[in-house]
PDB file of all heavy atoms in Angstrom:
ATOM      1  N   LYS A   7      26.928 -54.284  70.543  1.00  0.00           N
ATOM      2  CA  LYS A   7      25.519 -54.562  70.212  1.00  0.00           C
ATOM      3  C   LYS A   7      25.001 -55.738  71.029  1.00  0.00           C
ATOM      4  O   LYS A   7      25.667 -56.767  71.130  1.00  0.00           O
ATOM      5  CB  LYS A   7      25.391 -54.842  68.708  1.00  0.00           C
ATOM      6  CG  LYS A   7      23.970 -55.179  68.265  1.00  0.00           C
ATOM      7  CD  LYS A   7      23.775 -56.658  68.037  1.00  0.00           C
ATOM      8  CE  LYS A   7      22.314 -57.041  67.916  1.00  0.00           C
ATOM      9  NZ  LYS A   7      22.131 -58.485  67.601  1.00  0.00           N
ATOM     10  N   PHE A   8      23.833 -55.563  71.609  1.00  0.00           N
ATOM     11  CA  PHE A   8      23.252 -56.619  72.433  1.00  0.00           C
ATOM     12  C   PHE A   8      21.916 -57.074  71.844  1.00  0.00           C
ATOM     13  O   PHE A   8      21.016 -56.257  71.619  1.00  0.00           O
ATOM     14  CB  PHE A   8      23.075 -56.126  73.876  1.00  0.00           C
ATOM     15  CG  PHE A   8      24.394 -55.785  74.516  1.00  0.00           C
ATOM     16  CD1 PHE A   8      24.912 -54.493  74.431  1.00  0.00           C
ATOM     17  CD2 PHE A   8      25.150 -56.759  75.155  1.00  0.00           C
ATOM     18  CE1 PHE A   8      26.146 -54.175  74.985  1.00  0.00           C
ATOM     19  CE2 PHE A   8      26.382 -56.455  75.707  1.00  0.00           C
ATOM     20  CZ  PHE A   8      26.888 -55.160  75.624  1.00  0.00           C
ATOM     21  N   GLY A   9      21.787 -58.374  71.587  1.00  0.00           N
ATOM     22  CA  GLY A   9      20.573 -58.942  70.989  1.00  0.00           C
ATOM     23  C   GLY A   9      19.440 -59.059  71.996  1.00  0.00           C
ATOM     24  O   GLY A   9      19.610 -58.775  73.189  1.00  0.00           O
ATOM     25  N   GLY A  10      18.284 -59.486  71.501  1.00  0.00           N
ATOM     26  CA  GLY A  10      17.057 -59.526  72.295  1.00  0.00           C
ATOM     27  C   GLY A  10      17.148 -60.322  73.584  1.00  0.00           C
ATOM     28  O   GLY A  10      16.696 -59.862  74.635  1.00  0.00           O
ATOM     29  N   THR A  11      17.782 -61.505  73.521  1.00  0.00           N
ATOM     30  CA  THR A  11      17.841 -62.324  74.740  1.00  0.00           C
ATOM     31  C   THR A  11      18.816 -61.713  75.756  1.00  0.00           C
ATOM     32  O   THR A  11      18.668 -61.916  76.953  1.00  0.00           O
ATOM     33  CB  THR A  11      18.304 -63.768  74.430  1.00  0.00           C
ATOM     34  OG1 THR A  11      19.412 -63.704  73.545  1.00  0.00           O
ATOM     35  CG2 THR A  11      17.206 -64.588  73.801  1.00  0.00           C
ATOM     36  N   SER A  12      19.782 -60.928  75.258  1.00  0.00           N
ATOM     37  CA  SER A  12      20.791 -60.343  76.153  1.00  0.00           C
ATOM     38  C   SER A  12      20.228 -59.231  77.036  1.00  0.00           C
ATOM     39  O   SER A  12      20.816 -58.889  78.056  1.00  0.00           O
ATOM     40  CB  SER A  12      21.955 -59.769  75.338  1.00  0.00           C
ATOM     41  OG  SER A  12      22.552 -60.765  74.560  1.00  0.00           O
ATOM     42  N   SER A  41      18.741 -54.438  70.585  1.00  0.00           N
ATOM     43  CA  SER A  41      17.558 -54.985  69.905  1.00  0.00           C
ATOM     44  C   SER A  41      16.376 -54.880  70.849  1.00  0.00           C
ATOM     45  O   SER A  41      16.531 -54.557  72.026  1.00  0.00           O
ATOM     46  CB  SER A  41      17.777 -56.460  69.580  1.00  0.00           C
ATOM     47  OG  SER A  41      18.825 -56.618  68.675  1.00  0.00           O
ATOM     48  N   ARG A  45      12.208 -62.505  73.030  1.00  0.00           N
ATOM     49  CA  ARG A  45      11.889 -63.231  71.799  1.00  0.00           C
ATOM     50  C   ARG A  45      10.378 -63.290  71.623  1.00  0.00           C
ATOM     51  O   ARG A  45       9.640 -62.921  72.521  1.00  0.00           O
ATOM     52  CB  ARG A  45      12.447 -64.664  71.888  1.00  0.00           C
ATOM     53  CG  ARG A  45      13.954 -64.747  71.753  1.00  0.00           C
ATOM     54  CD  ARG A  45      14.375 -65.230  70.364  1.00  0.00           C
ATOM     55  NE  ARG A  45      15.760 -64.890  70.052  1.00  0.00           N
ATOM     56  CZ  ARG A  45      16.820 -65.617  70.403  1.00  0.00           C
ATOM     57  NH1 ARG A  45      16.640 -66.730  71.082  1.00  0.00           N
ATOM     58  NH2 ARG A  45      18.023 -65.238  70.082  1.00  0.00           N
ATOM     59  N   ASP A 159      22.201 -55.974  63.901  1.00  0.00           N
ATOM     60  CA  ASP A 159      23.603 -56.257  63.558  1.00  0.00           C
ATOM     61  C   ASP A 159      24.066 -55.265  62.487  1.00  0.00           C
ATOM     62  O   ASP A 159      25.196 -54.769  62.521  1.00  0.00           O
ATOM     63  CB  ASP A 159      23.761 -57.676  62.987  1.00  0.00           C
ATOM     64  CG  ASP A 159      23.411 -58.766  63.995  1.00  0.00           C
ATOM     65  OD1 ASP A 159      23.336 -58.451  65.198  1.00  0.00           O
ATOM     66  OD2 ASP A 159      23.223 -59.924  63.569  1.00  0.00           O
ATOM     67  N   TYR A 177      27.042 -59.086  70.835  1.00  0.00           N
ATOM     68  CA  TYR A 177      26.783 -59.999  71.962  1.00  0.00           C
ATOM     69  C   TYR A 177      25.484 -60.750  71.738  1.00  0.00           C
ATOM     70  O   TYR A 177      24.470 -60.164  71.356  1.00  0.00           O
ATOM     71  CB  TYR A 177      26.695 -59.206  73.269  1.00  0.00           C
ATOM     72  CG  TYR A 177      28.045 -58.770  73.780  1.00  0.00           C
ATOM     73  CD1 TYR A 177      28.604 -57.564  73.372  1.00  0.00           C
ATOM     74  CD2 TYR A 177      28.773 -59.577  74.646  1.00  0.00           C
ATOM     75  CE1 TYR A 177      29.858 -57.166  73.833  1.00  0.00           C
ATOM     76  CE2 TYR A 177      30.013 -59.192  75.115  1.00  0.00           C
ATOM     77  CZ  TYR A 177      30.549 -57.989  74.705  1.00  0.00           C
ATOM     78  OH  TYR A 177      31.780 -57.612  75.160  1.00  0.00           O
ATOM     79  N   THR A 178      25.523 -62.070  71.968  1.00  0.00           N
ATOM     80  CA  THR A 178      24.329 -62.874  71.773  1.00  0.00           C
ATOM     81  C   THR A 178      24.266 -63.964  72.842  1.00  0.00           C
ATOM     82  O   THR A 178      24.877 -63.801  73.911  1.00  0.00           O
ATOM     83  CB  THR A 178      24.307 -63.419  70.317  1.00  0.00           C
ATOM     84  OG1 THR A 178      23.100 -64.145  70.121  1.00  0.00           O
ATOM     85  CG2 THR A 178      25.512 -64.293  69.991  1.00  0.00           C
ATOM     86  N   ASP A 179      23.543 -65.057  72.573  1.00  0.00           N
ATOM     87  CA  ASP A 179      23.327 -66.071  73.613  1.00  0.00           C
ATOM     88  C   ASP A 179      24.149 -67.338  73.390  1.00  0.00           C
ATOM     89  O   ASP A 179      23.860 -68.372  73.978  1.00  0.00           O
ATOM     90  CB  ASP A 179      21.826 -66.408  73.730  1.00  0.00           C
ATOM     91  CG  ASP A 179      21.230 -66.913  72.428  1.00  0.00           C
ATOM     92  OD1 ASP A 179      21.952 -66.942  71.408  1.00  0.00           O
ATOM     93  OD2 ASP A 179      20.048 -67.287  72.420  1.00  0.00           O
ATOM     94  N   VAL A 180      25.132 -67.298  72.510  1.00  0.00           N
ATOM     95  CA  VAL A 180      26.041 -68.446  72.309  1.00  0.00           C
ATOM     96  C   VAL A 180      27.486 -67.937  72.365  1.00  0.00           C
ATOM     97  O   VAL A 180      27.726 -66.735  72.242  1.00  0.00           O
ATOM     98  CB  VAL A 180      25.784 -69.167  70.961  1.00  0.00           C
ATOM     99  CG1 VAL A 180      24.494 -69.963  71.000  1.00  0.00           C
ATOM    100  CG2 VAL A 180      25.761 -68.186  69.800  1.00  0.00           C
ATOM    101  N   GLY A 182      29.893 -67.869  70.376  1.00  0.00           N
ATOM    102  CA  GLY A 182      30.536 -67.341  69.172  1.00  0.00           C
ATOM    103  C   GLY A 182      29.951 -68.002  67.956  1.00  0.00           C
ATOM    104  O   GLY A 182      28.895 -68.648  68.038  1.00  0.00           O
ATOM    105  N   VAL A 183      30.619 -67.844  66.821  1.00  0.00           N
ATOM    106  CA  VAL A 183      30.194 -68.550  65.614  1.00  0.00           C
ATOM    107  C   VAL A 183      30.612 -70.006  65.790  1.00  0.00           C
ATOM    108  O   VAL A 183      31.763 -70.284  66.132  1.00  0.00           O
ATOM    109  CB  VAL A 183      30.873 -67.960  64.360  1.00  0.00           C
ATOM    110  CG1 VAL A 183      30.473 -68.756  63.126  1.00  0.00           C
ATOM    111  CG2 VAL A 183      30.531 -66.486  64.213  1.00  0.00           C
ATOM    112  N   MET A 184      29.702 -70.919  65.560  1.00  0.00           N
ATOM    113  CA  MET A 184      30.007 -72.334  65.794  1.00  0.00           C
ATOM    114  C   MET A 184      29.937 -73.132  64.494  1.00  0.00           C
ATOM    115  O   MET A 184      29.425 -72.651  63.481  1.00  0.00           O
ATOM    116  CB  MET A 184      29.062 -72.891  66.853  1.00  0.00           C
ATOM    117  CG  MET A 184      29.119 -72.037  68.112  1.00  0.00           C
ATOM    118  SD  MET A 184      28.161 -72.620  69.486  1.00  0.00           S
ATOM    119  CE  MET A 184      29.132 -73.959  70.061  1.00  0.00           C
ATOM    120  N   THR A 185      30.439 -74.355  64.560  1.00  0.00           N
ATOM    121  CA  THR A 185      30.523 -75.186  63.353  1.00  0.00           C
ATOM    122  C   THR A 185      29.142 -75.605  62.840  1.00  0.00           C
ATOM    123  O   THR A 185      29.020 -76.090  61.717  1.00  0.00           O
ATOM    124  CB  THR A 185      31.377 -76.442  63.629  1.00  0.00           C
ATOM    125  OG1 THR A 185      30.901 -77.036  64.851  1.00  0.00           O
ATOM    126  CG2 THR A 185      32.849 -76.084  63.780  1.00  0.00           C
ATOM    127  N   ALA A 186      28.114 -75.439  63.672  1.00  0.00           N
ATOM    128  CA  ALA A 186      26.713 -75.633  63.275  1.00  0.00           C
ATOM    129  C   ALA A 186      25.866 -74.997  64.365  1.00  0.00           C
ATOM    130  O   ALA A 186      26.404 -74.616  65.418  1.00  0.00           O
ATOM    131  CB  ALA A 186      26.377 -77.119  63.141  1.00  0.00           C
ATOM    132  N   ASP A 187      24.574 -74.860  64.136  1.00  0.00           N
ATOM    133  CA  ASP A 187      23.697 -74.296  65.167  1.00  0.00           C
ATOM    134  C   ASP A 187      23.719 -75.218  66.386  1.00  0.00           C
ATOM    135  O   ASP A 187      23.294 -76.374  66.300  1.00  0.00           O
ATOM    136  CB  ASP A 187      22.273 -74.171  64.610  1.00  0.00           C
ATOM    137  CG  ASP A 187      21.348 -73.435  65.573  1.00  0.00           C
ATOM    138  OD1 ASP A 187      21.693 -73.321  66.767  1.00  0.00           O
ATOM    139  OD2 ASP A 187      20.289 -72.981  65.128  1.00  0.00           O
ATOM    140  N   PRO A 188      24.210 -74.726  67.539  1.00  0.00           N
ATOM    141  CA  PRO A 188      24.316 -75.596  68.719  1.00  0.00           C
ATOM    142  C   PRO A 188      22.969 -76.114  69.217  1.00  0.00           C
ATOM    143  O   PRO A 188      22.917 -77.076  69.964  1.00  0.00           O
ATOM    144  CB  PRO A 188      24.990 -74.700  69.764  1.00  0.00           C
ATOM    145  CG  PRO A 188      24.748 -73.310  69.301  1.00  0.00           C
ATOM    146  CD  PRO A 188      24.664 -73.358  67.808  1.00  0.00           C
ATOM    147  N   ARG A 189      21.892 -75.481  68.787  1.00  0.00           N
ATOM    148  CA  ARG A 189      20.563 -76.002  69.174  1.00  0.00           C
ATOM    149  C   ARG A 189      20.282 -77.342  68.512  1.00  0.00           C
ATOM    150  O   ARG A 189      19.481 -78.124  69.002  1.00  0.00           O
ATOM    151  CB  ARG A 189      19.469 -75.027  68.743  1.00  0.00           C
ATOM    152  CG  ARG A 189      19.375 -73.834  69.666  1.00  0.00           C
ATOM    153  CD  ARG A 189      18.335 -72.873  69.142  1.00  0.00           C
ATOM    154  NE  ARG A 189      18.781 -71.524  69.408  1.00  0.00           N
ATOM    155  CZ  ARG A 189      18.017 -70.580  69.916  1.00  0.00           C
ATOM    156  NH1 ARG A 189      16.764 -70.840  70.171  1.00  0.00           N
ATOM    157  NH2 ARG A 189      18.504 -69.391  70.143  1.00  0.00           N
ATOM    158  N   MET A 208      27.888 -68.426  55.481  1.00  0.00           N
ATOM    159  CA  MET A 208      27.126 -69.079  56.550  1.00  0.00           C
ATOM    160  C   MET A 208      25.849 -68.306  56.862  1.00  0.00           C
ATOM    161  O   MET A 208      24.765 -68.881  56.987  1.00  0.00           O
ATOM    162  CB  MET A 208      27.963 -69.164  57.833  1.00  0.00           C
ATOM    163  CG  MET A 208      29.026 -70.234  57.828  1.00  0.00           C
ATOM    164  SD  MET A 208      30.028 -70.173  59.340  1.00  0.00           S
ATOM    165  CE  MET A 208      28.861 -70.789  60.579  1.00  0.00           C
ATOM    166  N   GLY A 212      21.711 -69.284  56.347  1.00  0.00           N
ATOM    167  CA  GLY A 212      20.824 -69.551  57.473  1.00  0.00           C
ATOM    168  C   GLY A 212      21.424 -69.496  58.869  1.00  0.00           C
ATOM    169  O   GLY A 212      20.676 -69.566  59.841  1.00  0.00           O
ATOM    170  N   ALA A 213      22.754 -69.395  59.017  1.00  0.00           N
ATOM    171  CA  ALA A 213      23.331 -69.314  60.374  1.00  0.00           C
ATOM    172  C   ALA A 213      22.963 -67.949  60.945  1.00  0.00           C
ATOM    173  O   ALA A 213      23.485 -66.931  60.537  1.00  0.00           O
ATOM    174  CB  ALA A 213      24.842 -69.492  60.332  1.00  0.00           C
ATOM    175  N   LYS A 214      22.027 -67.950  61.879  1.00  0.00           N
ATOM    176  CA  LYS A 214      21.396 -66.716  62.346  1.00  0.00           C
ATOM    177  C   LYS A 214      22.322 -65.824  63.169  1.00  0.00           C
ATOM    178  O   LYS A 214      21.993 -64.683  63.458  1.00  0.00           O
ATOM    179  CB  LYS A 214      20.228 -67.128  63.255  1.00  0.00           C
ATOM    180  CG  LYS A 214      18.878 -66.771  62.719  1.00  0.00           C
ATOM    181  CD  LYS A 214      17.814 -67.277  63.664  1.00  0.00           C
ATOM    182  CE  LYS A 214      17.462 -66.259  64.732  1.00  0.00           C
ATOM    183  NZ  LYS A 214      16.599 -66.819  65.785  1.00  0.00           N
ATOM    184  N   VAL A 215      23.453 -66.359  63.567  1.00  0.00           N
ATOM    185  CA  VAL A 215      24.268 -65.711  64.602  1.00  0.00           C
ATOM    186  C   VAL A 215      24.715 -64.291  64.232  1.00  0.00           C
ATOM    187  O   VAL A 215      24.905 -63.452  65.109  1.00  0.00           O
ATOM    188  CB  VAL A 215      25.458 -66.635  64.985  1.00  0.00           C
ATOM    189  CG1 VAL A 215      26.410 -66.848  63.836  1.00  0.00           C
ATOM    190  CG2 VAL A 215      26.159 -66.153  66.217  1.00  0.00           C
ATOM    191  N   VAL A 216      24.815 -63.989  62.949  1.00  0.00           N
ATOM    192  CA  VAL A 216      25.085 -62.600  62.536  1.00  0.00           C
ATOM    193  C   VAL A 216      24.403 -62.373  61.193  1.00  0.00           C
ATOM    194  O   VAL A 216      24.235 -63.300  60.393  1.00  0.00           O
ATOM    195  CB  VAL A 216      26.606 -62.312  62.485  1.00  0.00           C
ATOM    196  CG1 VAL A 216      27.324 -63.202  61.510  1.00  0.00           C
ATOM    197  CG2 VAL A 216      26.883 -60.857  62.136  1.00  0.00           C
ATOM    198  N   ILE A 268      28.530 -76.222  58.913  1.00  0.00           N
ATOM    199  CA  ILE A 268      27.305 -76.650  58.225  1.00  0.00           C
ATOM    200  C   ILE A 268      26.202 -75.679  58.624  1.00  0.00           C
ATOM    201  O   ILE A 268      25.967 -75.474  59.819  1.00  0.00           O
ATOM    202  CB  ILE A 268      26.862 -78.075  58.661  1.00  0.00           C
ATOM    203  CG1 ILE A 268      28.038 -79.071  58.628  1.00  0.00           C
ATOM    204  CG2 ILE A 268      25.682 -78.554  57.820  1.00  0.00           C
ATOM    205  CD1 ILE A 268      28.564 -79.412  57.268  1.00  0.00           C
ATOM    206  N   HIS A 270      22.042 -74.294  57.969  1.00  0.00           N
ATOM    207  CA  HIS A 270      20.751 -74.792  57.474  1.00  0.00           C
ATOM    208  C   HIS A 270      19.746 -73.660  57.425  1.00  0.00           C
ATOM    209  O   HIS A 270      19.845 -72.691  58.181  1.00  0.00           O
ATOM    210  CB  HIS A 270      20.221 -75.912  58.369  1.00  0.00           C
ATOM    211  CG  HIS A 270      19.750 -75.409  59.695  1.00  0.00           C
ATOM    212  ND1 HIS A 270      20.610 -75.120  60.734  1.00  0.00           N
ATOM    213  CD2 HIS A 270      18.507 -75.100  60.139  1.00  0.00           C
ATOM    214  CE1 HIS A 270      19.913 -74.677  61.767  1.00  0.00           C
ATOM    215  NE2 HIS A 270      18.641 -74.651  61.434  1.00  0.00           N
TER     216      HIS A 270
HETATM  217  P1  ADP B 501      20.305 -62.222  68.854  1.00  0.00           P
HETATM  218  O1  ADP B 501      18.902 -62.043  69.341  1.00  0.00           O
HETATM  219  O2  ADP B 501      21.314 -62.025  69.925  1.00  0.00           O
HETATM  220  O3  ADP B 501      20.607 -61.427  67.622  1.00  0.00           O
HETATM  221  P2  ADP B 501      19.994 -64.581  67.207  1.00  0.00           P
HETATM  222  O4  ADP B 501      18.905 -65.515  67.612  1.00  0.00           O
HETATM  223  O5  ADP B 501      19.742 -63.683  66.051  1.00  0.00           O
HETATM  224  O6  ADP B 501      20.456 -63.769  68.498  1.00  0.00           O
HETATM  225  O7  ADP B 501      21.329 -65.420  66.896  1.00  0.00           O
HETATM  226  C1  ADP B 501      21.846 -66.319  67.848  1.00  0.00           C
HETATM  227  C2  ADP B 501      21.389 -67.737  67.551  1.00  0.00           C
HETATM  228  O8  ADP B 501      21.918 -68.150  66.291  1.00  0.00           O
HETATM  229  C3  ADP B 501      21.892 -68.771  68.518  1.00  0.00           C
HETATM  230  O9  ADP B 501      21.056 -68.902  69.635  1.00  0.00           O
HETATM  231  C4  ADP B 501      21.948 -70.054  67.670  1.00  0.00           C
HETATM  232  O10 ADP B 501      20.894 -70.934  67.964  1.00  0.00           O
HETATM  233  C5  ADP B 501      21.796 -69.562  66.240  1.00  0.00           C
HETATM  234  N1  ADP B 501      22.807 -70.103  65.327  1.00  0.00           N
HETATM  235  C6  ADP B 501      22.557 -70.673  64.108  1.00  0.00           C
HETATM  236  N2  ADP B 501      23.668 -71.096  63.519  1.00  0.00           N
HETATM  237  C7  ADP B 501      24.692 -70.802  64.361  1.00  0.00           C
HETATM  238  C8  ADP B 501      26.105 -70.993  64.297  1.00  0.00           C
HETATM  239  N3  ADP B 501      26.698 -71.563  63.248  1.00  0.00           N
HETATM  240  N4  ADP B 501      26.859 -70.559  65.330  1.00  0.00           N
HETATM  241  C9  ADP B 501      26.269 -69.964  66.398  1.00  0.00           C
HETATM  242  N5  ADP B 501      24.934 -69.758  66.519  1.00  0.00           N
HETATM  243  C10 ADP B 501      24.146 -70.161  65.517  1.00  0.00           C
END
Side-chain angles (χ1 to χ4, degrees):
K7 179 257 167 176
F8 297 91
T11 45
S12 301
S41 296
R45 287 257 160 85
D159 296 344
Y177 284 88
T178 183
D179 58 356
V180 287
V183 177
M184 306 184 75
T185 49
D187 187 342
R189 283 177 216 226
M208 284 176 72
K214 246 178 89 190
V215 64
V216 60
I268 312 291
H270 72 280

